[in-house]
Amino acid sequence: MVRSIIAPTYFWPGATGVPDGWSRVILAATYVSTVLLNPNSGPGQQQLQEFVDITRQSQAAGMKVLGYVDSSYGSRPIIDVLSDIDTYSSWYQVDGFFIDDMYILDNAQVDYYQEIHDAVKNSSRYTNESVAQTQLIFNPGAPDVPEAYLPLADTFVSFEGSATSYQSFQPAAYTTNYTASKFWHIVYGCNSNATINATLQQFTTQTAEYLYITDLGLPNPYNNLPSIDTWTQLLSYMANMDNTSNMTGDCHACGDKSTSSASWQIHSVPASMAFLFLTSLIVCVLQ
């Protein structure tokens, strides 16, 4: 397994089900393993055909689609959390769930998140026969999650912040005891080639399989995909990592716990990335 992108696709599908942002994600499905479905900070009050369509198109392209669910740092009633999970499963037949705003101050909410885990992974309430394979991501947005929580999800967002703060990021001491698929880094404010290079170099040294970078920033870096240039550079990086992994066999991103000494520098864009870039431009013109 090579490193890949999880894209927080919180923006609305267009009338045809494939607006610019979603179309670029679907075109890049080779490098995007997972997208997030978020109709209204959750599943909303009614099933929306636009999100049904975009879920099916994304799955047909080979990506997993996860439903966004807020946990309000463990203060949201668990019955409401499980209701959102049931609704996503019923309306959109998603492949898993992204649990946002995770509590991480101490072990006080282990039982709360254990119940979410059990509902997703073990519960007979689901008719999906592959429920044990349902993907579950928790988002504390920080590296200092008490280790007692780590068995409760497949992946944790161990960094969510600016490109500047990412340069001083220090993972939790236990990180190297786990495979890279346990961790996802989200970095916003990557608004220059120098910043993108620094971010990708930092990521290359980390035990983390999943990455998302964007040149957008606060207050909402997720209301669209990054610019075509930033997106293309991210895809180029993933293509480069894919080729490196294929040549060398085992790699740090695949669970090798040694520290990678590789570096990354933007020099040129591969032909496949140039094709995606041009196709994206055509899509933008046609919208």
Side-chain angles (χ1 to χ4, degrees), residues 206-229:
Q206 299 296 321
T207 300
E209 180 171 332
Y210 305 109
L211 176 65
Y212 180 77
I213 69 170
T214 179
D215 50 335
L216 302 179
L218 296 176
N220 184 4
Y222 312 121
N223 63 0
N224 208 334
L225 278 191
S227 67
I228 290 177
D229 182 61

Side-chain angles (χ1 to χ4, degrees), residues 6 23 27 44-46 53 77 86 132 149 151 161 182 185 236 238 243 247 260:
I6 298 177
S23 64
L27 282 169
Q45 299 302 308
Q46 61 181 344
D53 293 343
D86 282 345
Y149 291 96
K182 187 65 92 172
H185 294 177
S236 179
M238 291 297 168
N243 291 335
M247 289 187 293
S260 171

Side-chain angles (χ1 to χ4, degrees), residues 4 9 14 54 61 65 87 94 100 123 143 171 174 200 203 225 256 261 279 286:
S4 66
T9 43
I54 205 65
V65 180
T87 300
V94 294
D100 200 13
S123 177
Y174 56 65
L200 296 177
F203 180 70
L225 278 191
D256 179 357
S261 59
T279 306
L286 294 177

Side-chain angles (χ1 to χ4, degrees), residues 29-44:
T30 299
Y31 304 109
V32 181
S33 63
T34 306
V35 293
L36 306 184
L37 198 71
N38 187 12
N40 188 19
S41 297

